[in-house]
Amino acid sequence: SRHLHDPQAVAAIRESQNRVQVMALLHQKLYQADHLGRVNLADYAREIVTYLVESFDRQRSVQVQLDLAPIELETTVATPLGLIINEAVTNTLKHAFPPPRRGTLTVSLVSLGPQQYQLTITDDGVGLPPGFELTRSRSLGMVIIKGLSRQLDGQLAVSTAGGVHISLQFDMTKKPVHAEAMA
């Protein structure tokens, strides 16, 4: 990327690096875990968000609020959730707070009941473009978020009141659909 002069190409390389880093963080968590195949999603999400804020050098302009229940999930669930967090936080850091605007990014993971959870990623930034429709979005980040949400058989909702609000409810009593089965 040091030899590229096109800002879009450099951004694409950085976003690809971030996706790989999210996977590397997952593997690191697995090696440190007491239960093989399970990950503390609160720790994993915290590391993803911290890494991305530092990667985009937004420590001074974006305040981060984390409300993460200490939930342990299998890697078949933690992997798509980590990638969803990566895509949503990346979109916030890239678009929600154009300089000199400052703002707040909130990531929340709560238990709604036995084996039922909600992941919420919210910002108080500029919001989505006028006329944005989740079902019609072709941006790579939103395509990835929608696909991974379907993989988890989750209920995805995106709203733009006072910034962007992404909510994913998922139920672990249902078996996640593996990526191979979606192809």
Side-chain angles (χ1 to χ4, degrees), residues 4-181:
L4 295 174
H5 301 291
D6 179 9
Q8 286 183 317
V10 172
I13 297 262
R14 181 188 345 182
E15 289 175 31
S16 295
Q17 287 175 316
N18 289 344
R19 289 180 186 111
V20 171
Q21 181 63 26
V22 166
M23 298 302 293
L25 287 172
L26 177 64
H27 285 273
Q28 180 182 356
K29 287 281 164 216
L30 284 173
Y31 290 126
Q32 296 169 350
D34 293 333
H35 307 292
L36 192 59
R38 295 183 67 81
V39 173
N40 181 311
L41 201 66
D43 292 343
Y44 182 42
R46 184 175 293 105
E47 287 187 31
I48 292 169
V49 173
T50 301
Y51 168 77
L52 290 171
V53 169
E54 290 173 0
S55 172
F56 282 91
D57 194 24
R58 300 302 302 265
Q59 302 93 315
R60 286 185 213 82
S61 60
V62 177
Q63 178 185 358
V64 175
Q65 294 181 348
L66 301 173
D67 178 19
L68 305 167
I71 298 166
E72 282 202 1
L73 296 172
E74 294 181 20
T75 57
T76 56
V77 177
T79 299
L81 286 174
L83 290 169
I84 288 169
I85 293 167
N86 176 71
E87 295 304 321
V89 171
T90 294
N91 284 343
T92 293
L93 297 173
K94 282 175 51 180
H95 305 294
F97 310 111
R101 187 177 180 130
R102 296 172 174 268
T104 302
L105 163 69
T106 304
V107 180
S108 168
L109 176 68
V110 296
S111 176
L112 301 175
Q115 300 293 304
Q116 295 177 333
Y117 306 99
Q118 181 171 329
L119 171 68
T120 307
I121 301 152
T122 306
D123 68 62
D124 59 358
V126 297
L128 293 167
F132 174 85
E133 291 181 40
L134 179 63
T135 56
R136 294 177 171 248
S137 177
R138 298 282 180 238
S139 77
L140 181 57
M142 280 298 176
V143 168
I144 289 172
I145 290 170
K146 289 188 301 188
L148 293 170
S149 297
R150 277 192 306 272
Q151 182 178 329
L152 292 169
D153 197 20
Q155 300 298 314
L156 178 66
V158 178
S159 65
T160 62
V164 175
H165 180 89
I166 297 173
S167 173
L168 175 66
Q169 290 186 14
F170 57 101
D171 183 340
M172 295 317 314
T173 58
K174 302 175 187 176
K175 283 286 190 194
V177 178
H178 293 289
E180 305 86 51

